Amino acid sequence: MKKGMSKLLSALLIATLVFTSAGVAFADTGGSEASGAIKASQGKKQFSQLEKGFDLEKQIKAQSDQTKATSKSAKTKAIGNLTVATLVTGYETAPVARIDYSAPADSLGSYKYGFQQSIYLPSKGTLILAAYNYPESTGTAYFGLFQDPALTNQIAGGSSIVRAGAADGIAIKIPAAGTYYIGAYSNDYASQPTVAVTLNMSAGFISGIDRTVKNGSTIAVGQKDAQTNYFKFKATQTGYLKVGSSEGYDKIALCNSKKKALSNYTYAGYVPTYGVKKGSTYYIKVAAGSNYDGGYQLQVTNKKITEKSGKKKSKAVTIKKKKTKKGTIIAGSSQADWYKFKLGGKKKVTLTMKGATNNKLKVVVYNKKGKKVSSAYNYNYYNNKLTLKSYGKLPKGTYYIKVYRGTKTSSGWYSLSWK
């Protein structure tokens, strides 16, 4: 989707700038494929969702007709100030500003004619700019972000070209807080000193800094080059924490309150899920690779799991036939959960485990004497469910089920049933 951003920004000039991954499935992923092929990687496609079905020419004409008389006589550097929208969740919109400029009143020096306005950006992140050059304009317009009012020192990768009747957009890396200059200019006036240029422009800023996230929240994170962030989260429920991103190849890990890793990295496309304890503070670590689009959306969900399990074999809780028990394996904890069921006679048994994890959870069945009657089977993050069937009929008696983490960095939630 490397071409998606420019198309998106072109359309958003009229529809207003929207940074979105609407429709990304942050729900539990799964499937039985042992290869573990990344799922939910369509997040990047959804990032450019708005470009589909957008009638750019029709909407451009509607605005052009409304302002045509003004554009013929405009001599000011900007009709209406360009407002930079702050994109916190990624679903905000940015207003479109109409910009008119012409020679000689709008000379910036060095054969550049256009406009500029200073802006203050509060942190590192990404600035997204979009521009549409009206059909009645002549020549080529350059637009972007600069470090000086004469528009001679541009931010790296921060300039784009748009021709008459065309649209374009760019995502610009902002290295630090500071004052910058958004500008648009043309040097065609040297040979055509009477031409005028009319642009529609919009701008949105996405912060790239660490911050606190809350249950059920979605945040936009500005990022172009490889970047690692720590997002602080306080669990409101004992249960699971599910983390999704619009960039399926970003890597996610859970850390404790001191930023020490409690989990391994898992690709965001798998929607990693962790077991968390109410009131505890965690950090969600996101290691993102280079990103042409200029950012991603992160969503977190913390849901309560009501658990009644034994913490050792002698305290195992009974699971009745065709009934379900749920539980949580807390990140960083080695505590196992114990259950039991009773057979009144010889019977084939099917045990089903569902849930979600960041790595793998294990389940094993013992008889009353403590001998394993099954192997320790893994429930993985790319499974919908794990089904265990006994080889032949199990003898009459009481059997014990142990659920525990598959690795030291595994956690998550599960449900168990048997028949």
Side-chain angles (χ1 to χ4, degrees):
M1 288 297 295
K2 295 303 181 187
K3 296 181 180 179
M5 176 56 76
S6 62
K7 292 181 180 178
L8 175 62
L9 291 178
S10 299
L12 291 176
L13 276 167
I14 308 303
T16 67
L17 183 66
V18 179
F19 174 91
T20 180
S21 63
V24 174
F26 290 107
D28 301 335
T29 58
S32 59
E33 57 269 23
S35 64
I38 290 181
K39 306 195 81 175
S41 60
Q42 68 264 35
K44 198 170 186 67
K45 295 181 181 178
Q46 297 292 348
F47 191 92
S48 299
Q49 180 86 359
L50 295 185
E51 70 184 72
K52 297 179 180 179
F54 189 86
D55 191 340
L56 180 63
E57 292 184 2
K58 182 177 179 181
Q59 298 205 39
I60 286 289
K61 187 177 185 303
Q63 282 204 3
S64 177
D65 289 345
Q66 293 175 5
T67 56
K68 196 168 185 179
T70 307
S71 67
K72 290 181 178 179
S73 59
K75 297 296 183 181
T76 57
K77 293 188 177 181
I79 298 178
N81 293 322
L82 180 62
T83 299
V84 180
T86 299
L87 308 182
V88 177
T89 67
Y91 294 110
E92 296 84 358
T93 59
V96 177
R98 174 175 164 164
I99 308 298
D100 291 81
Y101 60 88
S102 60
D106 303 317
S107 175
L108 298 170
S110 302
Y111 296 103
K112 290 182 179 180
Y113 304 89
F115 93 101
Q116 55 81 11
Q117 71 176 63
S118 64
I119 59 169
Y120 178 79
L121 299 178
S123 69
K124 71 174 184 178
T126 305
L127 182 71
I128 298 178
L129 291 179
Y132 175 79
N133 194 351
Y134 274 67
E136 58 264 31
S137 296
T138 301
T140 298
Y142 300 82
F143 69 97
L145 188 68
F146 302 83
Q147 295 180 328
D148 64 313
L151 310 187
T152 59
N153 189 7
Q154 73 178 48
I155 301 298
S159 181
S160 192
I161 301 173
V162 58
R163 292 175 174 80
D168 201 358
I170 48 175
I172 305 164
K173 177 183 176 180
I174 305 302
T179 298
Y180 300 89
Y181 295 85
I182 293 177
Y185 67 89
S186 175
N187 51 22
D188 294 328
Y189 296 117
S191 59
Q192 302 179 68
T194 61
V195 302
V197 175
T198 300
L199 298 175
N200 264 353
M201 292 190 70
S202 59
F205 174 70
I206 313 167
S207 174
I209 63 173
D210 297 349
R211 70 203 83 162
T212 297
V213 292
K214 295 183 178 181
N215 184 25
S217 66
T218 299
I219 62 169
V221 184
Q223 168 260 328
K224 284 203 70 177
D225 297 334
Q227 177 176 302
T228 298
N229 288 95
Y230 289 85
F231 300 106
K232 187 177 182 180
F233 177 80
K234 187 173 183 179
T236 59
Q237 305 286 350
T238 294
Y240 68 75
L241 171 65
K242 180 170 57 179
V243 184
S245 171
S246 58
E247 293 291 314
Y249 283 92
D250 285 352
K251 295 184 292 185
I252 297 176
L254 186 70
C255 302
N256 64 15
S257 60
K258 296 182 180 180
K259 298 184 180 180
K260 181 179 178 180
L262 297 173
S263 79
N264 59 314
Y265 274 129
T266 306
Y267 283 116
Y270 285 118
V271 193
T273 302
Y274 312 93
V276 294
K277 185 177 181 181
K278 182 179 180 179
S280 295
T281 296
Y282 300 91
Y283 283 89
I284 300 166
K285 183 180 181 181
V286 181
S290 58
N291 187 345
Y292 176 86
D293 290 336
Y296 60 90
Q297 281 180 299
L298 189 76
Q299 185 183 67
V300 297
T301 303
N302 180 203
K303 186 174 181 179
K304 182 179 180 180
I305 295 295
T306 301
E307 177 179 340
K308 187 177 181 181
S309 65
K311 298 308 174 186
K312 54 184 179 179
K313 182 182 174 185
S314 62
K315 299 292 184 180
V317 171
T318 298
I319 302 180
K320 294 182 179 181
K321 185 178 180 180
K322 294 184 179 181
K323 298 297 181 180
T324 300
K325 292 290 186 182
K326 293 182 178 181
T328 305
I329 302 299
I330 301 296
S333 172
S334 61
Q335 177 64 58
D337 295 341
W338 287 87
Y339 303 91
K340 63 182 179 181
F341 63 92
K342 188 174 182 179
L343 298 179
K346 285 188 175 182
K347 181 178 174 56
K348 288 185 177 181
V349 175
T350 299
L351 177 68
T352 300
M353 183 177 185
K354 299 180 181 180
T357 176
N358 66 297
N359 193 320
K360 59 186 176 182
L361 304 179
K362 286 194 172 184
V363 58
V364 63
V365 183
Y366 300 86
N367 64 18
K368 192 172 183 178
K369 294 181 179 180
K371 182 179 179 180
K372 289 182 182 180
V373 296
S374 79
S375 299
Y377 288 92
N378 294 326
Y379 174 83
N380 294 293
Y381 52 86
Y382 52 81
N383 291 134
N384 282 322
K385 65 180 180 180
L386 174 67
T387 302
L388 306 181
K389 295 183 178 181
S390 61
Y391 292 105
K393 294 181 179 180
L394 293 179
K396 175 183 177 180
T398 300
Y399 294 86
Y400 295 84
I401 304 169
K402 180 184 179 182
V403 181
Y404 57 106
R405 62 187 186 178
T407 71
K408 289 183 179 181
T409 58
S410 298
S411 66
W413 76 277
Y414 62 88
S415 69
L416 282 177
S417 63
W418 71 276
K419 62 180 181 179

